[in-house]
Amino acid sequence: MTTVQNIFPVVGNQEVGAEIFILRFHAPAIARSSLPGHFVNIKVDRSYYPLLRRPFSIYDVEGDDVEVVFNIVGRGTEILASKRPGEGLDVLGPLGRPYQFSDVQYSTAVIVAGGLGVAPFPFLTRFLKKEEKQIITFLGAQTEKMLVPKRLANVHLATDDGSAGCQGTVVDLVERYFETTCVEGPKFFGCGPNEMLRALSQRAENLNVPCEVSLECVMACGLGICQGCPVELRGGSVRYSLVCKEGPVYDTSAIVI
Amino acid sequence: MTTVQNIFPVVGNQEVGAEIFILRFHAPAIARSSLPGHFVNIKVDRSYYPLLRRPFSIYDVEGDDVEVVFNIVGRGTEILASKRPGEGLDVLGPLGRPYQFSDVQYSTAVIVAGGLGVAPFPFLTRFLKKEEKQIITFLGAQTEKMLVPKRLANVHLATDDGSAGCQGTVVDLVERYFETTCVEGPKFFGCGPNEMLRALSQRAENLNVPCEVSLECVMACGLGICQGCPVELRGGSVRYSLVCKEGPVYDTSAIVI
Amino acid sequence: MVKTSFRLGEVKFKNRVLVASGTFGYGDDLKDLIDINKLGGIVTKSLSLKRRGGNPPPRIVETPCGMLNSIGLANIGVQEFILKKLPYLRTFETVIVANIAASSVEEYCEVLSMLESAEGVDAYEINVSCPNVKEGGLSFGASCSMTGKITMELRRLTKKPLIVKLTPNVTHISEFARVVEDSGADAISVINTVVGMSVDVRTRKPKLSTVSGGLSGAAIKPIALAKVYECAQVVGIPIIGIGGIMTTEDALEFLIVGATAIQVGTANYIDPSTGVKIVEGMRKFCDQENIDDVGTLVGTLESNKEISVIHSWL
Amino acid sequence: MVKTSFRLGEVKFKNRVLVASGTFGYGDDLKDLIDINKLGGIVTKSLSLKRRGGNPPPRIVETPCGMLNSIGLANIGVQEFILKKLPYLRTFETVIVANIAASSVEEYCEVLSMLESAEGVDAYEINVSCPNVKEGGLSFGASCSMTGKITMELRRLTKKPLIVKLTPNVTHISEFARVVEDSGADAISVINTVVGMSVDVRTRKPKLSTVSGGLSGAAIKPIALAKVYECAQVVGIPIIGIGGIMTTEDALEFLIVGATAIQVGTANYIDPSTGVKIVEGMRKFCDQENIDDVGTLVGTLESNKEISVIHSWL
Ligand SMILES: Cc1cc2nc3c(=O)[nH]c(=O)nc-3n(C[C@H](O)[C@H](O)[C@H](O)COP(=O)(O)OP(=O)(O)OC[C@H]3O[C@@H](n4cnc5c(N)ncnc54)[C@H](O)[C@@H]3O)c2cc1C
Ligand SMILES: Cc1cc2nc3c(=O)[nH]c(=O)nc-3n(C[C@H](O)[C@H](O)[C@H](O)COP(=O)(O)OP(=O)(O)OC[C@H]3O[C@@H](n4cnc5c(N)ncnc54)[C@H](O)[C@@H]3O)c2cc1C
Ligand SMILES: Cc1cc2nc3c(=O)[nH]c(=O)nc-3n(C[C@H](O)[C@H](O)[C@H](O)COP(=O)(O)O)c2cc1C
Ligand SMILES: Cc1cc2nc3c(=O)[nH]c(=O)nc-3n(C[C@H](O)[C@H](O)[C@H](O)COP(=O)(O)O)c2cc1C
Ligand code: FES
Ligand code: FES
């Protein structure tokens, strides 16, 4: 992986749900070295407000174009939503440690995504298909309009309000599925709010299924230099790992979520 | 004059010169109570960077629409330049003390503008015509592309580089004009950089012609509450007047520029 | 109905949102733009014994998310205030706090006495960020003993609420808070502006005529919050939180760390109705969170005391 | 050709732009992104005697034009630094400044001694914004006598340039600057972060696990400039200006008020090449202004001394 920083041209910015956008920019250098689970760190404009870059998972790579998906939650994403094709975008990436999708220990990738936690999975799905893994995808959100069920395989939906798929949390849906269905050589690939990842990690442990998740946390640099993004490691004494550098993808057996 | 603060819709934003824009917004409440020399104070966006409003002279009023003219000099004007019709604009105005254009003491309005100092004069010209005053306009800038010689009457141009009109400063041009031409009952109406206004004020004194100028200075509130915008008054001891409230238009006999 | 009022001694404030000294003039300039009666209180521009013209320009410069000022306490003087401004100011249904500045202890006393004999001032706020002429211009507010002395002397002269406004430009603001409390103040205001400066690199001149000035606005909010919190750990008297408050959320942060009320400063320049909007915003927030008295938010910060040592490793 | 270099004792810096402690790691993480050899110097993350895991999350929160951090000086410890990082760091053609943190005077001495025996460190920067364990955790940097003592003890142990990094969280930073100069330091770095905090109003929890933290970034530039200027009025040793430097213009402001060199901090997080860009930008500025040595800018502020009283009326 070679990390680069540059101004890349936006080639598209499409609203695909309730204040949810897929932003596409032309960045051959990033496209070439990205893997599923990597993220990019975007400076939304030249202002000092917001001051810091904003991290986004790589949603997909098509040719020399890179995509991210995001919803408007604050000033940074509000500015991102206003980007138009032709404008320049200051991107640093790819960053982080990707999902370990190619190991031979498992045969079915069980993708579990909460809300915008769907972000890394279209790109992962591409690679899983190349690896000829089975794929089952569970996707949950508060309501139908917050689901982005695109470019995934074998999708099962859950919404808190029952507006699409089953009513309930996505982890509950996974649990019920595993109760009734025999999944061959499963491995969980999770991404979403910490609460959901905690629940997933618990289920994975109970089911004795390997589980990798991509964590979110506040980041200042994304490069391993500020020490601002710790996650606690399991084990006796308190030790931390830096999410931006050693993560954002972790095997849940290694960390305290 | 009733000052209002509100979000008004932009109805136009046209580039009319080198990074010079005329921004038009629909603001009946402001249009109704504006007079030439008044200014509006614009919050360019909701960000805290820039933090403060930006003052702009009222360039013209047409029906319920108000216009300002500006060039890009920093972050605030850069953001203003990106405004598109339909967007909301947070404007506070009208503010300040207008030009005293209707007094009967003079019969020829001699308008002298340096660069974007042309801003208050299309609007003033309208009123002068209604008052049936004679008008002579002198407009100067560094170069042709920085001249905005629109909606003025009887215009004489000067540029530093000679790319349009006479080469030299606008005040020199005025001086030469007065040497060769007999102007009946003149009064100067000036606006531009302080250096130019100082020169104009000097000439006015020499010629014994009344002279009003609109001053620029950094402002925090524009409302007379921060005391941030002093100009020194002529007279024995040091006394200040607040440009935003008692100005921006002053008779040059009253102030130290 | 959410309860919004609070008391300082005999004085009842209808809500916890005041406007800060120097950022609202004497109230009269803004009467047509906002409904002043909706504010909890107005703190006047600092009043000095004699009228002050203020510093030469430039007095203002913008900085990232903030601004520097060096006004030089330009004000009309206490006498003219009493004659020309107070009668009108009194007509508003809000608490009038007269802010006092001076360059000697005696002068502070004199100004307060003049205001005592006039009618219409409800409370006093003392600006101690003023140069002590007898000590070569060192700020009163940077000396614990001077700050205590001013408080004690003024306390003798009035039964009205006496609020001392602390400067953040000291090592331990809590020491000042304690001294002021012990000297009889009814409340403290925290904070005044933070010393800062800015330079024009082309002309190599400072962007303020006085070289340095006072930093205010959103940029200083984190500093102000830490100062209020520090004071709240040591004093029992109410704290009025000030510094970079632009929104309801900002104001709530101050209440949570221990401020009984807040003042809106620089935000008034950008939107004079900020205070009124925050009054409304606080009410809404309480409705949403099922809080029946804004006051129950005060000092409710939930912190893990184990790791919350203020002067710890950063 | 514009001259950009300067000397601190025996050590020559190729230019006046360094990267600040804690904002560049140990250099190795950024080697592929920027040309480190173009920098005047690298200041390492603070090194403590033992490896430190750091504070619990959250450690970072953004604020208007700034950020708060409470890292807890997470670092690999001096021993591991010497073994694992220093050999590589030395290969760069830039000055390596080891920044030292400790919780007792003895510990400062021990860490410095270990670095003295290793090879490759060119200079030391002492982070005194650390809790003094013997004084109940009060910051060394808030005590003039402790700051002087640390300087004096360390001075005995090394002939290499000794730079003491001052905290802005004191009433008169110039007093500290003077004491540090008198105690034998070769230079001072001004400033470390400003204490601040931030609160989540929904959860009523502080946004940093340690409640308060250190404010950095563009927001603090005016404060940092004022502190550098204050120090420049009283000391003769070089000052390294730090605080909110994002652009060449920011850096020039610091030189003009009296800094011999500058450090880029938070800006590295946003653009790791900020320092390199400023090196280039300074050169360009000097070209434009017909300046043949960047050093001639240092301390050239033109101010009207008559009205430039630091603690005057605001
Ligand atoms: C490795 C990584 C990958 C991510 N990938 C995506 C993605 O693909 N799509 C996407 O929409 N978001 C993603 N995020 C989260 C995204 O970075 C934040 O939503 C974004 O920074 C918010 O910026 P803002 O300025 O709009 O909001 P802010 O104004 O900064 O914050 C708004 C709200 O969001 C919360 N918030 C801010 N930053 C984060 C964060 N890093 N994690 C969790 N909550 C936060 C704040 O506490 C606040 O409540 C990712 C985060 C990380 C660390
Ligand atoms: C009463 C009044 C009326 C004005 N009318 C107009 C107008 O009609 N058209 C127009 O283009 N401009 C006008 N100006 C100036 C205009 O307000 C500034 O150009 C604008 O604020 C710059 O904002 P910015 O964020 O783009 O630049 P900034 O980033 O704030 O500043 C860029 C540069 O411009 C200088 N500058 C900033 N504000 C001012 C100011 N108020 N006066 C002089 N220099 C300043 C700064 O020192 C800096 O060098 C007026 C100013 C006043 C006080
Ligand atoms: C232009 C200006 C003038 C001020 N004048 C005074 C004053 O006269 N007396 C005083 O006690 N505080 C004065 N202040 C300080 C404010 O009351 C307030 O304490 C400070 O600005 C911090 O709050 P803010 O960030 O909300 O503005 C002034 C502030 C500004 C910006
Ligand atoms: C996340 C972070 C970590 C820091 N770590 C250290 C440190 O270990 N030692 C130190 O002396 N200063 C440390 N600093 C302070 C910086 O070196 C610098 O003095 C301060 O951030 C102000 O400069 P800036 O505004 O350019 O960032 C740190 C700053 C930040 C933001
Ligand atoms: S975000 Fe800076 S080390 Fe991870
Ligand atoms: S700009 Fe505030 S008083 Fe004039």
Side-chain angles (χ1 to χ4, degrees):
Chain A
M1 172 179 76
T2 320
T3 302
V4 298
Q5 180 201 344
N6 218 327
I7 312 289
F8 300 102
V10 170
V11 293
N13 197 6
Q14 204 195 337
E15 188 158 6
V16 295
E19 303 209 309
I20 299 174
F21 293 78
I22 294 178
L23 176 68
R24 186 183 179 112
F25 52 94
H26 185 73
I30 297 178
R32 228 173 288 131
S33 56
S34 293
L35 286 170
H38 277 151
F39 67 97
V40 291
N41 218 352
I42 300 181
K43 184 76 181 89
V44 298
D45 67 12
R46 285 185 301 138
S47 166
Y48 302 150
Y49 183 70
L51 181 70
L52 300 171
R53 288 177 181 271
R54 294 290 186 261
F56 297 94
S57 298
I58 291 174
Y59 178 66
D60 209 352
V61 172
E62 282 186 345
D64 287 343
D65 291 352
V66 178
E67 286 179 332
V68 296
V69 65
F70 64 91
N71 60 341
I72 298 182
V73 298
R75 231 191 117 62
T77 44
E78 189 185 318
I79 293 167
L80 269 190
S82 74
K83 296 288 168 194
R84 295 287 159 265
E87 288 183 49
L89 194 67
D90 181 350
V91 187
L92 176 63
L95 296 163
R97 203 189 69 106
Y99 283 106
Q100 303 301 304
F101 55 83
S102 59
D103 70 81
V104 293
Q105 312 278 40
Y106 78 101
S107 45
T108 306
V110 182
I111 291 175
V112 187
L116 264 285
V118 70
F121 296 129
F123 196 35
L124 178 63
T125 299
R126 263 181 211 278
F127 280 75
L128 291 170
K129 284 181 177 165
K130 268 190 242 156
E131 299 278 332
E132 298 188 344
K133 300 284 187 185
Q134 304 290 323
I135 308 172
I136 317 174
T137 306
F138 296 91
L139 178 55
Q142 283 176 289
T143 179
E144 184 177 13
K145 287 196 167 161
M146 296 167 95
L147 289 168
V148 191
K150 293 164 181 273
R151 306 187 217 164
L152 302 166
N154 197 4
V155 182
H156 301 251
L157 298 176
T159 50
D160 294 351
D161 65 0
S163 54
C166 298
Q167 182 160 10
T169 74
V170 68
V171 176
D172 287 344
L173 181 61
V174 171
E175 185 151 41
R176 265 175 288 150
Y177 187 88
F178 271 74
E179 277 165 9
T180 56
T181 320
C182 178
V183 182
E184 197 192 329
K187 172 174 177 175
F188 287 129
F189 294 89
C191 185
N194 272 353
E195 208 182 326
M196 173 213 137
L197 297 183
R198 208 175 292 124
L200 179 65
S201 156
Q202 199 57 57
R203 296 310 189 290
E205 225 160 282
N206 296 346
L207 294 164
N208 204 13
V209 170
C211 178
E212 275 192 322
V213 297
S214 177
L215 295 182
E216 273 195 18
C217 79
V218 180
M219 292 183 176
C221 72
L223 292 163
I225 54 175
C226 77
Q227 309 271 336
C229 58
V231 59
E232 197 182 326
L233 293 174
R234 293 210 199 178
S237 61
V238 176
R239 283 182 318 127
Y240 296 108
S241 166
L242 297 179
V243 172
C244 72
K245 197 176 154 184
E246 291 149 312
V249 175
Y250 288 94
D251 194 303
T252 51
S253 64
I255 53 169
V256 184
I257 303 178
Chain B
M1 173 180 74
T2 320
T3 302
V4 298
Q5 181 202 343
N6 218 327
I7 312 288
F8 299 102
V10 171
V11 293
N13 197 6
Q14 204 196 335
E15 188 159 7
V16 296
E19 303 208 309
I20 299 174
F21 294 78
I22 294 178
L23 176 68
R24 186 184 180 111
F25 52 94
H26 185 75
I30 296 177
R32 227 173 288 131
S33 55
S34 292
L35 286 170
H38 276 150
F39 68 97
V40 292
N41 218 351
I42 300 180
K43 184 76 181 93
V44 299
D45 68 11
R46 286 186 300 136
S47 166
Y48 301 150
Y49 183 71
L51 181 70
L52 300 171
R53 288 177 182 271
R54 295 290 186 261
F56 297 94
S57 299
I58 291 174
Y59 178 68
D60 209 353
V61 172
E62 284 187 343
D64 286 344
D65 290 352
V66 178
E67 287 179 333
V68 295
V69 65
F70 63 92
N71 60 339
I72 298 183
V73 298
R75 227 187 121 65
T77 44
E78 188 184 319
I79 293 168
L80 269 191
S82 74
K83 295 289 167 193
R84 295 285 159 266
E87 289 183 48
L89 194 67
D90 181 349
V91 187
L92 177 63
L95 296 163
R97 203 189 69 103
Y99 283 105
Q100 303 301 304
F101 55 84
S102 57
D103 68 82
V104 292
Q105 312 277 41
Y106 77 103
S107 46
T108 307
V110 182
I111 291 175
V112 187
L116 264 285
V118 70
F121 297 129
F123 196 36
L124 177 63
T125 299
R126 263 180 211 277
F127 280 75
L128 290 171
K129 285 180 177 165
K130 268 190 244 156
E131 300 280 331
E132 298 187 347
K133 299 283 186 187
Q134 304 290 322
I135 307 172
I136 316 174
T137 306
F138 296 90
L139 178 55
Q142 284 176 288
T143 179
E144 185 178 13
K145 286 194 168 163
M146 296 167 96
L147 290 167
V148 190
K150 294 165 180 273
R151 306 187 217 164
L152 302 167
N154 197 4
V155 182
H156 301 252
L157 299 176
T159 51
D160 295 349
D161 65 1
S163 54
C166 298
Q167 182 159 9
T169 75
V170 68
V171 176
D172 287 342
L173 181 62
V174 171
E175 185 150 42
R176 266 177 285 152
Y177 188 88
F178 270 73
E179 277 165 10
T180 58
T181 320
C182 178
V183 182
E184 197 192 331
K187 172 174 178 176
F188 287 129
F189 293 89
C191 185
N194 272 353
E195 207 182 325
M196 172 213 137
L197 298 183
R198 209 174 293 125
L200 179 66
S201 156
Q202 199 58 57
R203 298 307 189 291
E205 225 160 282
N206 296 346
L207 295 164
N208 204 13
V209 170
C211 178
E212 275 193 322
V213 298
S214 178
L215 296 182
E216 274 196 16
C217 79
V218 180
M219 292 183 175
C221 71
L223 292 162
I225 55 175
C226 77
Q227 308 272 335
C229 58
V231 60
E232 198 181 325
L233 293 173
R234 293 209 199 179
S237 61
V238 177
R239 283 182 317 128
Y240 296 108
S241 166
L242 296 179
V243 172
C244 72
K245 197 176 155 186
E246 291 149 311
V249 176
Y250 288 94
D251 194 302
T252 51
S253 64
I255 54 169
V256 184
I257 302 176
Chain C
M1 267 306 281
V2 177
K3 184 184 169 207
T4 58
S5 64
F6 76 103
R7 283 184 168 279
L8 216 55
E10 306 280 283
V11 179
K12 182 173 173 178
F13 296 74
K14 67 172 72 161
N15 60 58
R16 293 167 189 266
V17 183
L18 289 77
V19 285
S21 179
T23 68
F24 212 74
Y26 309 101
D28 47 348
D29 285 309
L30 297 173
K31 64 183 195 305
D32 296 332
L33 274 169
I34 70 159
D35 185 352
I36 291 179
N37 293 332
K38 288 193 173 155
L39 292 170
I42 297 179
V43 185
T44 69
K45 175 76 192 165
S46 278
L47 299 165
S48 52
L49 189 55
K50 299 261 171 292
R51 147 179 213 296
R52 289 180 56 88
N55 290 332
R59 292 182 182 174
I60 295 276
V61 54
E62 210 175 317
T63 66
C65 292
M67 62 176 275
L68 287 165
N69 87 79
S70 165
I71 303 299
L73 286 184
N75 79 96
I76 55 176
V78 62
Q79 210 132 26
E80 180 140 341
F81 170 76
I82 291 170
L83 286 174
K84 301 258 180 76
K85 301 291 181 180
L86 191 52
Y88 179 69
L89 207 48
R90 293 183 54 182
T91 64
F92 293 111
E93 289 162 24
T94 189
V95 174
I96 305 302
V97 182
N99 179 297
I100 301 176
S103 50
S104 70
V105 179
E106 298 73 36
E107 209 176 299
Y108 276 110
C109 291
E110 209 172 329
V111 176
L112 187 133
S113 298
M114 287 171 75
L115 289 162
E116 274 290 284
S117 17
E119 248 166 274
V121 171
D122 300 305
Y124 302 101
E125 181 179 71
I126 311 307
N127 178 1
V128 292
S129 306
C130 301
N132 181 349
V133 168
K134 291 191 189 145
E135 298 280 343
L138 268 186
S139 171
F140 290 109
S143 151
C144 247
S145 60
M146 284 312 307
T147 306
K149 176 140 196 240
I150 293 169
T151 310
M152 216 176 299
E153 297 294 330
L154 293 177
R155 177 71 292 171
R156 285 207 209 122
L157 302 175
T158 185
K159 292 208 165 60
K160 292 179 183 165
L162 181 65
I163 309 162
V164 179
K165 184 170 181 178
L166 302 181
T167 164
N169 305 300
V170 296
T171 310
H172 299 296
I173 198 171
S174 48
E175 289 174 5
F176 290 76
R178 207 180 314 208
V179 165
V180 161
E181 177 173 43
D182 292 346
S183 308
D186 297 296
I188 51 175
S189 304
V190 179
I191 59 175
N192 212 314
T193 53
V194 181
V195 174
M197 72 183 285
S198 179
V199 175
D200 183 322
V201 302
R202 300 277 162 193
T203 63
R204 305 210 199 150
K205 286 190 183 150
K207 287 192 178 172
L208 293 176
S209 67
T210 52
V211 182
S212 66
L215 185 64
S216 66
I220 69 166
K221 190 187 68 171
I223 301 172
L225 272 171
K227 296 285 184 188
V228 169
Y229 181 72
E230 189 189 330
C231 291
Q233 306 313 300
V234 305
V235 294
I237 53 175
I239 301 169
I240 304 177
I242 321 174
I245 297 176
M246 315 297 288
T247 65
T248 300
E249 218 173 281
D250 296 338
L252 292 168
E253 285 188 77
F254 278 84
L255 297 191
I256 292 168
V257 303
T260 291
I262 60 100
Q263 291 179 17
V264 175
T266 299
N268 287 313
Y269 301 151
I270 299 144
D271 179 359
S273 64
T274 305
V276 173
K277 283 177 184 160
I278 291 176
V279 170
E280 203 34 59
M282 279 191 180
R283 211 189 311 260
K284 252 198 209 141
F285 177 86
C286 289
D287 266 342
Q288 281 167 13
E289 304 264 310
N290 279 317
I291 293 166
D292 59 3
D293 178 355
V294 179
T296 61
L297 282 165
V298 175
T300 54
L301 187 76
E302 281 183 30
S303 69
N304 185 338
K305 291 280 170 192
E306 239 171 89
I307 50 173
S308 73
V309 187
I310 277 215
H311 294 284
S312 184
W313 301 79
L314 299 180
Chain D
M1 267 305 282
V2 177
K3 183 182 170 210
T4 58
S5 64
F6 75 103
R7 284 184 167 279
L8 216 55
E10 306 280 284
V11 178
K12 182 173 173 180
F13 295 74
K14 67 171 74 163
N15 60 57
R16 292 166 191 269
V17 183
L18 289 77
V19 284
S21 180
T23 67
F24 211 75
Y26 309 101
D28 47 346
D29 285 310
L30 296 173
K31 64 180 194 305
D32 296 331
L33 274 170
I34 70 158
D35 185 352
I36 291 179
N37 292 333
K38 289 194 173 155
L39 292 171
I42 297 178
V43 185
T44 69
K45 174 76 192 165
S46 277
L47 299 164
S48 52
L49 189 56
K50 299 259 171 293
R51 137 174 223 300
R52 290 180 54 89
N55 290 333
R59 291 182 182 175
I60 294 276
V61 54
E62 210 175 318
T63 66
C65 293
M67 62 175 275
L68 287 165
N69 88 79
S70 165
I71 304 298
L73 286 186
N75 79 95
I76 56 176
V78 62
Q79 209 131 28
E80 181 140 339
F81 169 76
I82 291 171
L83 287 174
K84 301 257 178 78
K85 301 290 181 182
L86 191 52
Y88 178 69
L89 207 47
R90 293 184 53 183
T91 64
F92 293 111
E93 290 162 25
T94 189
V95 173
I96 305 303
V97 182
N99 179 298
I100 301 175
S103 51
S104 70
V105 180
E106 298 73 37
E107 211 175 298
Y108 276 110
C109 291
E110 208 171 332
V111 176
L112 188 133
S113 300
M114 288 171 74
L115 290 162
E116 274 290 285
S117 15
E119 248 166 274
V121 170
D122 299 306
Y124 302 102
E125 180 178 71
I126 311 307
N127 178 0
V128 292
S129 305
C130 301
N132 180 349
V133 169
K134 292 195 188 141
E135 298 280 343
L138 267 188
S139 171
F140 289 109
S143 151
C144 246
S145 58
M146 285 313 305
T147 304
K149 176 143 197 237
I150 292 170
T151 309
M152 215 174 304
E153 296 293 329
L154 294 177
R155 176 72 291 171
R156 285 206 207 124
L157 302 175
T158 184
K159 293 207 163 60
K160 291 179 184 167
L162 181 65
I163 309 162
V164 178
K165 184 169 182 179
L166 301 181
T167 165
N169 305 300
V170 297
T171 311
H172 299 296
I173 197 172
S174 47
E175 289 174 6
F176 289 76
R178 206 179 314 210
V179 165
V180 162
E181 177 173 43
D182 292 345
S183 307
D186 297 298
I188 51 176
S189 304
V190 178
I191 58 174
N192 213 314
T193 53
V194 181
V195 174
M197 71 182 285
S198 179
V199 175
D200 183 324
V201 301
R202 299 278 162 192
T203 63
R204 305 210 198 150
K205 285 189 184 150
K207 287 192 179 172
L208 292 177
S209 67
T210 52
V211 181
S212 66
L215 185 64
S216 66
I220 68 166
K221 190 188 68 171
I223 301 173
L225 272 171
K227 296 285 184 187
V228 170
Y229 181 71
E230 188 188 331
C231 291
Q233 305 314 299
V234 305
V235 295
I237 53 175
I239 301 169
I240 303 176
I242 321 173
I245 297 176
M246 315 297 286
T247 65
T248 299
E249 217 173 285
D250 296 338
L252 292 169
E253 284 188 77
F254 278 84
L255 298 191
I256 292 168
V257 302
T260 291
I262 60 99
Q263 291 178 18
V264 175
T266 300
N268 287 313
Y269 301 152
I270 300 144
D271 180 359
S273 64
T274 306
V276 173
K277 284 177 182 160
I278 291 177
V279 170
E280 203 33 59
M282 278 190 181
R283 212 188 309 261
K284 253 198 205 138
F285 177 86
C286 289
D287 267 342
Q288 281 168 13
E289 304 264 312
N290 279 318
I291 293 167
D292 59 2
D293 179 354
V294 180
T296 60
L297 283 165
V298 176
T300 55
L301 188 76
E302 280 181 31
S303 68
N304 184 337
K305 292 280 170 192
E306 237 171 273
I307 51 173
S308 73
V309 187
I310 277 215
H311 294 281
S312 183
W313 300 79
L314 299 179

